[in-house]
Amino acid sequence: MSITTYGVWAASPSTTRGQPTQLSADPKGERIAYASNKSIFLRSIDNPAVSTQYTGHTAQTTVARFSPSGYYVSSGDVSGSVRVWDCVGEGSTKGEYHIIGGRINDLAWDGDSQRIIAVGNGKERFGHCFTADSGNSVGEISGHSSQINSVSIRQQRPLRAATGSDDTSIVFYHGAPFKFNTSLREQHNNFVYGVAFSPDGTNFVSVGADKKVWLYDGKSGEAKGQIGEGEHKGSIFSVSWARDSKRFVTSSADQTVKVWDVEAGKVVQSWRMGEADSVSIPDHQVGVVWPGGRSDGLIISLNLAGDLSYLADGSQKPVKLVQGHQKNITSLTTNAQSGKSETLWTGGIDGRICGWDAVEGVGKKVDGEAHTSYVSGITSARADTGRMYSVGWDDTLRMIDTTTTTFLDASAKLASQPKGIATSGKMTVVATNSGLALYQDGQKTGEEQLKFEPTALAASNTLVAVGGNDNIVHVYSSSSTKLGFMTELKGFTSQISSLAFSHDGSHLAVGTTSGKIMVYKTHSWETATDRWSSHTGRIASIAWNPEGTHAVSGGLDTNIFIWSLTTPGLRVKATNAHKDGVNGVIWIDGGKKVVSVGADAAVKVWEVKGLV
């Protein structure tokens, strides 16, 4: 048996309200780089389902920048650490440098791909200039009294650099080595969020929370003047130049993205995101990049919700919207309707649920009134209904129409916090802190009071299994409207954390917080195997392949295991599958592939071969 990486469907960029999020494109215009949770993702622009994940950081990442050569990426995190790594080969780390005693807000490379300036919110200093290969100092970033939000380096000689800060000033540097030249304090009267030199080095531009756009001479640093007074109605978070240096694009909290003509000093195209004439905080445009090296003039903008909008000249609406999860994915399931490709459904810690085409790897957020917090379970209703059910820590049961990928208006209030949801025949069972609630077609048909607190739930066509905080698995038979007690499975030394019936209902796998998995035959409740015990942490999810011969498990130890029922001692392992833990696993493509989700907010596909 073997398990190998087949694909990574990237997490969405991490965003913070009222703060710019940096996007970077490689010189060829083929990939974008961004920070998400503790990872950096390099994502194909033309096929967003193709991406690479870098997991070298141990803290929340904040920014990633391609080098002008296109061979390396520099990335920073909240601890003040900057890593330089190979983005063409294996992703090996070239250098790790601790720059400042706080968050790295932005990075910039010089035109030779040799020097880097890192800026942010440090304790002793707000930025530093160093060599990419050794970390040696090649200048001093000074002149600011508050955190620096943005930095840019002129790509031609003589080298120049500019930084924008919360102290409302812009500092202009001469290099190399870089040293303070002049401070520009008259232009902005609020936080400066973005500075950028034009690709030809003639101009540089600054934008900020005062909604102003200023142009400067790229060589001397002298202010040329403000343009477009009053165009933006909200803070301008980001700016990016076109390759021809004649235009640049800005993104703002007023939900707009605007393209500016430098010579005319005015806007030549504008896009507004969200519903017309309505204020939508998730549609704040907090980042933008204009990838060079492309002939189609594509612009990519990022909103506060983490969605990437592809904007094209002449089109008033985005030509493509790339969606996914920004935060920990907590739930995973699948449903296959006749005549359609398999669809995966994922739920996150923030209440967002996405549907994914299992073949294309494209995600779409479920529209409508969503959960407001942690999604603790998603399950498929009967195949003929076209519905999914989800439960969340907002104590509600919600229904999803799978054909339109929207929440239905109807929702049910739960008695207490839900621990899981499962479908048994025509009945949907929800485990809450207080017991089991039974539903049919979204209507409550009964409830079962329990003497223990449920910790895990699973169901087959005729059986329902509930793991309790008493370290016992309680098994019930199910009819269309009620449950009948059957048996108890005892002898566990730790809490039950995951349960899974095989597709034909002949076996039940029980995972515990200690990392051990037991398998039982459901016709006799004898032990089928007790040898699946290689996890070193809590078992978060177990799933059986369609034939019921193998199972996959994922745990808090970040690992995924494939187990064989006929040869219990045989197993294969995918180590460090998800940074900070695996939360869900499932089989797709008739048992040829496994999909996993975890705390890194990414969806990963694994190819499984040679099952024995």
Side-chain angles (χ1 to χ4, degrees), residues 497-563:
S497 58
S498 183
L499 296 165
F501 281 101
S502 58
H503 289 262
D504 61 3
S506 62
H507 290 87
L508 171 65
V510 181
T512 67
T513 54
S514 64
K516 189 174 178 64
I517 301 174
M518 297 280 288
V519 181
Y520 296 89
K521 301 172 183 175
T522 56
H523 66 87
S524 63
W525 298 111
E526 295 174 353
T527 302
T529 181
D530 59 359
R531 296 181 60 190
W532 296 359
S533 55
S534 293
H535 280 287
T536 56
R538 175 180 177 271
I539 306 289
S541 179
I542 306 170
W544 290 88
N545 69 339
E547 293 78 21
T549 56
H550 295 77
V552 60
S553 62
L556 193 61
D557 59 2
T558 75
N559 299 328
I560 293 172
F561 283 93
I562 306 288
W563 309 94

Side-chain angles (χ1 to χ4, degrees), residues 464 472-477 484-489 522 524-525:
V464 173
I472 296 173
V473 179
H474 306 260
V475 184
Y476 303 84
S477 61
F485 177 76
M486 272 187 75
T487 187
E488 291 179 342
L489 305 176
T522 56
S524 63
W525 298 111

Side-chain angles (χ1 to χ4, degrees), residues 7 23 51 88 98 129 180 253 271 323 373 383 401 412 477 480 524 532 572 586-587:
L23 301 176
S51 65
V88 178
H98 192 76
C129 183
F180 177 92
W271 296 270
Q323 296 181 313
S373 62
D401 185 331
S477 61
S480 57
S524 63
W532 296 359
V572 289
I586 203 159
W587 296 81

Side-chain angles (χ1 to χ4, degrees), residues 201-427:
T202 306
N203 300 296
F204 82 89
V205 63
S206 68
V207 298
D210 56 3
K211 311 164 194 172
K212 294 178 180 177
V213 179
W214 276 84
L215 277 173
Y216 311 82
D217 184 276
K219 199 170 179 180
S220 68
E222 291 178 12
K224 288 185 173 181
Q226 184 187 349
I227 62 171
E229 174 79 49
E231 274 286 352
H232 277 297
K233 305 295 190 289
S235 297
I236 306 172
F237 287 120
S238 188
V239 60
S240 181
W241 285 87
R243 185 175 52 171
D244 60 10
S245 297
K246 295 177 181 177
R247 295 168 297 159
F248 62 84
V249 60
T250 55
S251 65
S252 168
D254 62 8
Q255 301 170 223
T256 64
V257 176
K258 295 179 186 286
V259 175
W260 302 75
D261 182 288
V262 174
E263 196 172 327
K266 59 185 181 181
V267 172
V268 293
Q269 179 150 9
S270 180
W271 296 270
R272 190 180 189 278
M273 310 302 170
E275 298 295 323
D277 303 321
S278 68
V279 176
S280 170
I281 291 171
D283 283 306
H284 284 189
Q285 301 301 304
V286 296
V288 69
V289 64
W290 198 327
R294 296 180 70 91
S295 57
D296 57 3
L298 183 74
I299 294 168
I300 300 174
S301 181
L302 170 70
N303 70 11
L304 187 63
D307 303 332
L308 294 165
S309 299
Y310 285 39
L311 307 171
D313 191 20
S315 173
Q316 287 303 307
K317 295 286 182 184
V319 293
K320 184 188 286 188
L321 189 64
V322 179
Q323 296 181 313
H325 289 276
Q326 281 184 305
K327 297 178 180 176
N328 193 333
I329 301 177
T330 54
S331 303
L332 169 68
T333 192
T334 181
N335 77 315
Q337 295 176 340
S338 56
K340 293 185 178 180
S341 62
E342 221 166 342
T343 304
L344 298 167
W345 300 89
T346 54
I349 199 169
D350 55 357
R352 173 178 275 215
I353 294 178
C354 293
W356 303 78
D357 185 303
V359 177
E360 299 293 328
V362 176
K364 184 183 185 302
K365 177 176 74 79
V366 178
D367 295 320
E369 190 178 348
H371 293 283
T372 56
S373 62
Y374 191 106
V375 178
S376 52
I378 310 173
T379 189
S380 175
R382 301 194 316 276
D384 56 344
T385 61
R387 288 184 182 179
M388 306 290 293
Y389 295 105
S390 64
V391 289
W393 282 8
D394 53 2
D395 297 349
T396 55
L397 167 70
R398 298 190 183 275
M399 288 178 284
I400 300 168
D401 185 331
T402 59
T403 54
T404 59
T405 321
T406 55
F407 284 103
L408 299 175
D409 292 334
S411 65
K413 196 68 181 170
L414 301 171
S416 59
Q417 192 178 87
K419 293 299 182 73
I421 185 169
T423 303
S424 179
K426 294 182 178 181
M427 183 168 61

Side-chain angles (χ1 to χ4, degrees), residues 23-34 42-46 64-73 87-88 243 289-294 300:
L23 301 176
S24 174
D26 71 0
K28 295 179 181 177
E30 295 173 350
R31 296 185 293 176
I32 57 170
Y34 58 78
L42 308 183
R43 195 168 194 174
S44 168
I45 292 174
D46 295 315
R65 295 284 189 191
F66 281 103
S67 67
S69 67
Y71 293 115
Y72 294 99
V73 170
C87 65
V88 178
R243 185 175 52 171
V289 64
W290 198 327
R294 296 180 70 91
I300 300 174

Side-chain angles (χ1 to χ4, degrees), residues 101-166:
R103 188 183 196 271
I104 301 286
N105 286 335
D106 199 6
L107 297 161
W109 291 81
D110 74 346
D112 301 326
S113 300
Q114 291 178 350
R115 303 172 188 87
I116 297 170
I117 296 179
V119 298
N121 190 13
K123 294 180 176 66
E124 307 84 18
R125 59 187 180 186
F126 299 113
H128 191 52
C129 183
F130 57 96
T131 56
D133 56 356
S134 63
N136 292 335
S137 177
V138 281
E140 188 179 34
I141 302 303
S142 59
H144 287 295
S145 59
S146 189
Q147 73 165 338
I148 302 175
N149 297 312
S150 181
V151 60
S152 183
I153 299 178
R154 187 172 187 260
Q155 300 295 289
Q156 295 78 18
R157 293 182 183 277
L159 292 179
R160 301 286 186 262
T163 53
S165 166
D166 274 6

